[in-house]
Amino acid sequence: MLDPRLFRTDLDKVKQQLDRRSFAFDPAPYMALETRRKAVQVKTQELQNERNSRSKLVGQAKAKGEDVQPILDQMQHLGDDLKTAEAELAVVQNEMTALMAIIPNILDESVPDGKNEEANVEVSRWGSVPEFTFTPKDHVDLGAIHNRIDFGLGAKIAGARFVVLNGALARLQRAIIQLMLDTHTAEHGYSETYVPYLVNADSLYGTGQLPKFEADLFKANDDPALYLIPTAEVPVTNIVRDVIVDAKDLPLKFVCHSPCFRSEAGAYGRDVRGMIRQHQFEKVEIVQIVRPDESVRAHEELTRHAEIILEKLNLPYRKMLLCAGDTGFSSAKTYDLEVWLPGQGAYREISSCSNFKDFQARRLQARWRNPETGKPELVHTLNGSGLAAGRTLIAVIENYQDGQGRIHIPDVLLPYMGGVKVIE
């Protein structure tokens, strides 16, 4: 959520910034609510001041032995008026909060203009695209050859956009996940955490999925409302909800492996072939909670940590800076890492690394105590896929295939594969 002071001090600038996202923000409803809020707040404060003055008069009258009942009668009337004013103020403030809850984050100045992914900017590229002496197959055909990627069985058990992995390919995905966890904990300084796969509405509100994106979620029940997590970002970031972190404990760095569940509302017809877009998939998430003056550096660091996994696997990739129109709702700035998939002959997203600045923290009331002032201030939150395990599996399968349809295991994964070097 954006700082309300931005709306009060420079509403035109807020609108200009939101225009970069092509977000249709009409200042009029906000201005009307703000006018109401000011009027009701002034009235409330005046009634509070008058009640306090009357209370002093009661004390003075009692000290003089005078009859205080007339003053008490007036105070009763004041008390009723004050309750009415406070209730009205709460209604206005709730309406303002509801309005601001659907407004996206202000973009960082370094984010380029643009309406969609075609305007994203390539920052760097790593590795060489493999050259094959045969026509490379995609992961669907390779999985069919090995009879180890079974979409039909996934559909039978659950429905469309589910899959069953068997044998060596299931183990290969597990090996990829283990490599990520070992690297991020032993080399990058993250603390591994295990979190619930079901979260409440407050958690999803805190990270920005609710109320705007409820259609993208799987809702498990209504009383109380619980949702399957779309990403471990939600429960992990909520570790600091309503917490004041000691300055000496920052930065907080978490890594978490979890399944992710997404309804893919609005994505029908996109990536219907294969494992690119599933309702359930595995991901290793990295999260950082930092001081505000550290978030720019932390964003580069966190993104680099995801890149290192790709480099360990020797998978060609490129780093993209997302443009204004392609940057997510809560993010101020996002890098996407796109891995080369020979079966598609294209780079596809495998990690998204975002700096949310204080946008999530304000919703979460996640703070740190600044030792210079002694006062609580909002932290900055960041996260990224480190990496999406299913898409990494696809990339390994397609980049390490040979002309006979065999899949060679990358050297860095051999310690996790129990001696298997080639999936025949």
Side-chain angles (χ1 to χ4, degrees), residues 138-150:
D138 69 6
H139 67 284
V140 179
D141 291 336
L142 287 167
I145 291 172
H146 292 273
N147 195 29
R148 285 170 172 155
I149 301 180
D150 198 328

Side-chain angles (χ1 to χ4, degrees), residues 18-55:
L18 294 175
D19 284 345
R20 292 186 67 200
R21 287 180 172 270
S22 299
F23 180 81
F25 173 64
D26 182 1
Y30 178 86
M31 292 173 67
L33 283 171
E34 177 64 7
T35 300
R36 281 178 59 199
R37 182 197 66 79
K38 286 181 179 178
V40 177
Q41 190 160 349
V42 168
K43 180 181 179 181
T44 302
Q45 289 172 344
E46 288 175 346
L47 288 169
Q48 288 172 338
N49 292 337
E50 189 172 352
R51 185 184 62 178
N52 293 338
S53 298
R54 298 281 182 180
S55 295

Side-chain angles (χ1 to χ4, degrees), residues 198-202 219-227:
L198 286 162
V199 293
N200 55 34
D202 287 343
K219 194 173 185 179
N221 66 299
D222 291 308
D223 189 23
L226 289 175
Y227 301 81

Side-chain angles (χ1 to χ4, degrees), residues 205-418:
Y205 176 84
T207 47
Q209 281 79 14
L210 287 181
K212 192 173 178 64
F213 302 104
E214 185 167 10
D216 295 326
L217 304 169
F218 282 112
K219 194 173 185 179
N221 66 299
D222 291 308
D223 189 23
L226 289 175
Y227 301 81
L228 289 166
I229 60 171
T231 164
E233 165 201 344
V234 177
V236 174
T237 309
N238 270 272
I239 289 173
V240 294
R241 172 155 52 100
D242 296 324
V243 171
I244 301 176
V245 183
D246 197 304
K248 65 179 176 56
D249 295 327
L250 293 176
L252 295 175
K253 298 169 67 174
F254 301 105
V255 60
C256 181
H257 162 238
S258 77
C260 305
F261 306 91
R262 299 183 185 179
S263 72
E264 295 295 347
Y268 296 103
R270 296 180 59 196
D271 296 314
V272 294
R273 178 177 169 83
M275 291 172 56
I276 291 291
R277 197 175 296 276
Q278 296 278 285
H279 288 312
Q280 175 185 316
F281 58 96
E282 304 289 305
K283 186 151 65 78
V284 171
E285 191 79 0
I286 47 180
V287 173
Q288 292 199 27
I289 313 296
V290 304
R291 295 165 50 132
D293 60 353
E294 286 290 309
S295 69
V296 172
R297 181 203 58 78
H299 189 204
E300 300 297 327
E301 176 190 77
L302 180 142
T303 305
R304 181 62 193 144
H305 292 159
E307 292 180 75
I308 286 171
I309 302 296
L310 289 167
E311 293 173 14
K312 281 176 175 279
L313 292 166
N314 198 28
L315 294 172
Y317 71 91
R318 63 182 186 180
K319 176 180 174 181
M320 307 293 292
L321 174 58
L322 300 195
C323 72
D326 202 30
T327 301
F329 174 83
S330 299
S331 177
K333 181 178 180 179
T334 297
Y335 291 118
D336 270 5
L337 302 181
E338 298 179 349
V339 69
W340 177 257
L341 298 183
Q344 295 189 12
Y347 286 97
R348 296 302 305 270
E349 179 203 336
I350 197 169
S351 174
S352 189
C353 300
S354 298
N355 183 358
F356 303 99
K357 298 190 177 179
D358 62 8
F359 187 83
Q360 290 181 329
R362 183 169 285 103
R363 299 166 79 110
L364 294 161
Q365 279 303 288
R367 294 165 291 171
W368 69 296
R369 191 172 300 281
N370 189 331
E372 295 180 2
T373 64
K375 297 180 179 179
E377 299 176 10
L378 295 172
V379 296
H380 280 195
T381 62
L382 307 95
N383 71 53
S385 309
L387 306 160
R391 293 193 180 189
T392 308
L393 175 67
I394 292 170
V396 169
I397 289 172
E398 294 190 8
N399 280 277
Y400 283 86
Q401 63 180 294
D402 65 19
Q404 288 71 50
R406 297 177 300 180
I407 300 164
H408 297 259
I409 305 300
D411 290 344
V412 73
L413 295 178
L414 291 177
Y416 305 102
M417 290 297 292

Side-chain angles (χ1 to χ4, degrees), residues 2-256:
L2 296 175
D3 188 342
R5 289 175 296 184
L6 290 174
F7 292 80
R8 294 169 189 162
T9 59
D10 201 345
L11 194 59
D12 289 339
K13 183 176 181 181
V14 171
K15 187 179 186 318
Q16 290 172 3
Q17 290 295 320
L18 294 175
D19 284 345
R20 292 186 67 200
R21 287 180 172 270
S22 299
F23 180 81
F25 173 64
D26 182 1
Y30 178 86
M31 292 173 67
L33 283 171
E34 177 64 7
T35 300
R36 281 178 59 199
R37 182 197 66 79
K38 286 181 179 178
V40 177
Q41 190 160 349
V42 168
K43 180 181 179 181
T44 302
Q45 289 172 344
E46 288 175 346
L47 288 169
Q48 288 172 338
N49 292 337
E50 189 172 352
R51 185 184 62 178
N52 293 338
S53 298
R54 298 281 182 180
S55 295
K56 291 179 181 178
L57 290 176
V58 169
Q60 293 170 358
K62 284 183 177 180
K64 296 176 180 178
E66 297 174 353
D67 182 11
V68 298
Q69 191 58 47
I71 304 176
L72 293 176
D73 291 341
Q74 292 175 338
M75 288 186 66
Q76 177 63 42
H77 175 69
L78 280 173
D80 292 340
D81 289 347
L82 181 57
K83 287 180 181 178
T84 300
E86 288 174 339
E88 186 180 356
L89 181 60
V91 169
V92 174
Q93 289 174 332
N94 287 338
E95 289 180 12
M96 294 185 76
T97 298
L99 176 64
M100 294 182 66
I102 61 172
I103 297 175
N105 200 358
I106 296 295
L107 296 167
D108 187 81
E109 293 180 357
S110 62
V111 173
D113 290 330
K115 295 187 179 299
N116 53 47
E117 61 184 16
E118 294 180 1
N120 294 343
V121 176
E122 183 175 320
V123 176
S124 61
R125 191 175 291 212
W126 185 93
S128 300
V129 170
E131 296 182 3
F132 297 100
T133 57
F134 56 92
T135 301
K137 296 179 172 62
D138 69 6
H139 67 284
V140 179
D141 291 336
L142 287 167
I145 291 172
H146 292 273
N147 195 29
R148 285 170 172 155
I149 301 180
D150 198 328
F151 296 100
L153 186 54
K156 171 188 170 182
I157 295 170
R161 295 186 187 265
F162 289 92
V163 68
V164 173
L165 298 177
N166 295 305
L169 289 188
R171 180 166 190 165
L172 180 57
Q173 177 171 268
R174 176 160 55 90
I176 289 168
I177 292 167
Q178 195 62 56
L179 169 69
M180 295 177 190
L181 291 172
D182 287 351
T183 301
H184 292 315
T185 54
E187 299 178 21
H188 299 155
Y190 291 85
S191 174
E192 185 173 356
T193 186
Y194 172 84
V195 293
Y197 300 159
L198 286 162
V199 293
N200 55 34
D202 287 343
S203 295
L204 287 158
Y205 176 84
T207 47
Q209 281 79 14
L210 287 181
K212 192 173 178 64
F213 302 104
E214 185 167 10
D216 295 326
L217 304 169
F218 282 112
K219 194 173 185 179
N221 66 299
D222 291 308
D223 189 23
L226 289 175
Y227 301 81
L228 289 166
I229 60 171
T231 164
E233 165 201 344
V234 177
V236 174
T237 309
N238 270 272
I239 289 173
V240 294
R241 172 155 52 100
D242 296 324
V243 171
I244 301 176
V245 183
D246 197 304
K248 65 179 176 56
D249 295 327
L250 293 176
L252 295 175
K253 298 169 67 174
F254 301 105
V255 60
C256 181

